[in-house]
Amino acid sequence: MNFSNKNLLFFFPESPFSKRAGNVLRTYTNLKQLKSLGFNIDLVGVEDYYNSFGDSPQDIDSAIINDVFVLKTKPPKKKLTLEYWKYKIQKKFNKENSNQYLTQYLKDNFTALLAQKKYDYIFINYEFWTDLIRDQDLKGAKTIVDTHDWITLNEFYNNKNLDLGKRFGKEINNLSLYDKVVTISQDEYFIFKSFLGDKVINIPPSFPENFEGSNIEKKYDLIFVGSDNPFNILSINWFVEKVLPLLPKEIKICIIGRICKHVPDHDNIEKVFFVDDLNIYYHASKIAICPMLKGTGIKIKVVEAMSYGLPVVGTEKAVDGFSDKKNNGCFVSDDEKEFAKMITKLIDNKSDYLQLKDEAIHFFKNNFSEKKSVELWEKTLNF
């Protein structure tokens, strides 16, 4: 189907062009693939997010995005204006929302956007922004939500007193409002499909193949790429404290991203806070590690590493959402001694290393290719 005359409104709170974390990088990839199908895409973000990350609406790719709208969460602080007092009073009477940025002022601004232009598709990222479309006149637009994660479980990790039944009921209720519900994890696909039926479709993350540089001389034994979210901080601290002391003294480790702020200085670790091009570092590394202890959904960092032909050593969380928990290019264990042994085995035994590397490449080609992803988007949106 040709979508060249179709208008798509794409909501993602932060700038997808920063590519600072796995979820952001995947969103950028989705935009590229949707554009390749011919859509006219308008991007909507939230000013508080842009400001907190130091992003600018000017830093977009005009080859992908037609217009960008960065919405405010509250009116300017001019106490003499009617608008200011209107929202000040509304805030007192509105029921408390767990998403503090989803204010009535933001919703009203989103409504104003919908009034300006007719959209054929409205694309919302994350279930907890669903109130943006609730009770709106969408003028016949088809709605899609990209779940990213199982939000109830994610929130439970951060709050053990969470009322699971109430929160999951709300999540399912929100997802039921959409025409299509997109997951990236096979596990979450089965959960949501059980409640919501055929409107749920799984579209795994995708990357271009970068296998051609895999024979470059290796500078690092291990590589870890991550933002400074709480799950990454917990995971890399576990690795440094529990696993690193068990590894060979000469091992070389490269850690990239904002996670470096939380990594102690160590003779074996090279910290790189930001790079424009990860290709150089992935091609210079032998093995990717993913020591995640918490979190939901597919780990984008694992798929990205596989796109470079790297085998992965991780915890059991590293293969969350995979269609096959074995024969996928990953060695996994939650035990620090086993984790260290798996790394040492791959470094010392070339045949084991090459076998796992081949598995990673094969699994990537069968599950995470760009071509397959574009075909799934086309099928999902053709309804």
Side-chain angles (χ1 to χ4, degrees):
M1 180 176 176
N2 190 341
F3 297 99
S4 57
N5 295 318
K6 302 295 184 182
N7 295 324
L8 185 150
L9 188 65
F10 189 97
F11 174 85
F12 185 69
E14 54 188 296
S15 172
F17 294 94
S18 69
K19 294 180 277 187
R20 70 174 64 83
N23 62 316
V24 182
L25 178 58
R26 177 173 170 274
T27 302
Y28 167 74
T29 302
N30 287 346
L31 282 169
K32 279 201 310 179
Q33 294 179 354
L34 292 168
K35 187 63 180 179
S36 75
L37 293 174
F39 282 105
N40 303 312
I41 304 174
D42 288 348
L43 177 67
V44 184
V46 178
E47 188 181 67
D48 293 46
Y49 279 80
Y50 275 67
N51 289 344
S52 66
F53 289 116
D55 294 331
S56 168
Q58 276 72 49
D59 297 334
I60 64 163
D61 187 343
S62 57
I64 299 175
I65 302 299
N66 288 23
D67 285 311
V68 58
F69 306 96
V70 180
L71 305 182
K72 297 178 183 295
T73 57
K74 53 191 174 184
K77 289 185 177 179
K78 295 178 181 177
K79 295 190 177 182
L80 296 178
T81 65
L82 181 62
E83 183 182 49
Y84 174 84
W85 285 108
K86 171 188 171 184
Y87 289 103
K88 190 82 171 173
I89 294 167
Q90 274 184 343
K91 188 176 179 181
K92 288 184 179 293
F93 292 98
N94 285 349
K95 62 180 181 180
E96 190 172 337
N97 192 328
S98 57
N99 182 351
Q100 61 176 318
Y101 300 106
L102 188 46
T103 63
Q104 187 60 47
Y105 188 74
L106 181 78
K107 287 190 279 187
D108 288 349
N109 278 285
F110 192 80
T111 302
L113 276 183
L114 297 178
Q116 290 174 18
K117 185 174 180 179
K118 185 183 185 309
Y119 291 98
D120 301 286
Y121 295 85
I122 297 173
F123 196 116
I124 303 291
N125 285 273
Y126 301 108
E127 160 269 338
F128 47 81
W129 291 98
T130 296
D131 278 358
L132 285 173
I133 65 162
R134 196 189 307 274
D135 301 324
Q136 294 272 28
D137 180 7
L138 304 179
K139 301 177 185 174
K142 297 171 180 177
T143 55
I144 302 98
V145 60
D146 188 336
T147 57
H148 285 262
D149 290 301
W150 182 6
I151 298 300
T152 299
L153 183 56
N154 241 17
E155 292 184 4
F156 177 69
Y157 283 135
N158 294 317
N159 176 17
K160 296 300 182 185
N161 295 319
L162 182 72
D163 186 331
L164 287 172
K166 182 179 179 181
R167 183 61 185 93
F168 187 53
K170 181 181 178 183
E171 184 169 12
I172 293 298
N173 179 263
N174 283 343
L175 296 179
S176 70
L177 294 179
Y178 294 89
D179 295 309
K180 294 289 182 180
V181 175
V182 175
T183 64
I184 68 171
S185 157
Q186 196 72 25
D187 301 333
E188 289 161 20
Y189 167 75
F190 286 126
I191 291 168
F192 291 137
K193 188 177 175 65
S194 299
F195 292 93
L196 300 166
D198 291 339
K199 68 166 62 182
V200 183
I201 187 161
N202 195 58
I203 304 180
S206 63
F207 287 90
E209 293 181 4
N210 293 290
F211 307 137
E212 70 283 349
S214 58
N215 295 320
I216 294 173
E217 185 178 352
K218 307 305 179 187
K219 180 180 178 182
Y220 309 106
D221 297 295
L222 307 177
I223 185 171
F224 178 84
V225 179
S227 65
D228 57 349
N229 71 53
F231 298 149
N232 280 336
I233 295 170
L234 175 70
S235 303
I236 202 65
N237 284 339
W238 174 80
F239 175 82
V240 171
E241 292 171 13
K242 301 289 188 180
V243 180
L244 184 53
L246 305 175
L247 294 174
K249 301 296 182 189
E250 66 276 7
I251 198 157
K252 291 291 182 185
I253 305 167
C254 180
I255 298 178
I256 299 175
R258 287 179 297 152
I259 188 64
C260 290
K261 293 185 291 185
H262 305 274
V263 177
D265 292 335
H266 195 284
D267 289 342
N268 300 83
I269 297 174
E270 180 178 327
K271 293 187 280 187
V272 184
F273 285 81
F274 177 80
V275 295
D276 284 319
D277 186 4
L278 282 169
N279 285 15
I280 299 168
Y281 291 91
Y282 273 121
H283 286 318
S285 303
K286 295 177 184 175
I287 302 163
I289 58 169
C290 182
M292 304 302 290
L293 302 174
K294 291 183 179 180
T296 61
I298 280 183
K299 307 301 176 281
I300 305 294
K301 60 174 64 68
V302 173
V303 179
E304 184 176 45
M306 287 178 168
S307 76
Y308 289 89
L310 267 65
V312 177
V313 175
T315 54
E316 291 182 10
K317 281 287 178 189
V319 295
D320 267 4
F322 280 11
S323 57
D324 190 346
K325 303 297 185 185
K326 297 183 178 179
N327 306 312
N328 53 27
C330 302
F331 279 163
V332 298
S333 175
D334 288 349
D335 178 80
E336 60 265 26
K337 292 179 182 177
E338 283 301 312
F339 201 105
K341 282 181 183 177
M342 293 185 299
I343 291 172
T344 305
K345 179 181 180 181
L346 290 176
I347 292 173
D348 292 344
N349 192 315
K350 187 175 181 180
S351 63
D352 286 343
Y353 176 84
L354 292 176
Q355 181 180 343
L356 198 64
K357 177 185 176 70
D358 287 343
E359 276 185 17
I361 291 172
H362 182 74
F363 191 71
F364 177 87
K365 286 181 175 180
N366 283 345
N367 293 276
F368 307 116
S369 74
E370 286 191 313
K371 181 175 181 292
K372 181 175 180 180
S373 184
V374 171
E375 289 172 353
L376 284 169
W377 279 120
E378 186 171 21
K379 179 182 176 183
T380 300
L381 297 170
N382 187 13
F383 64 97

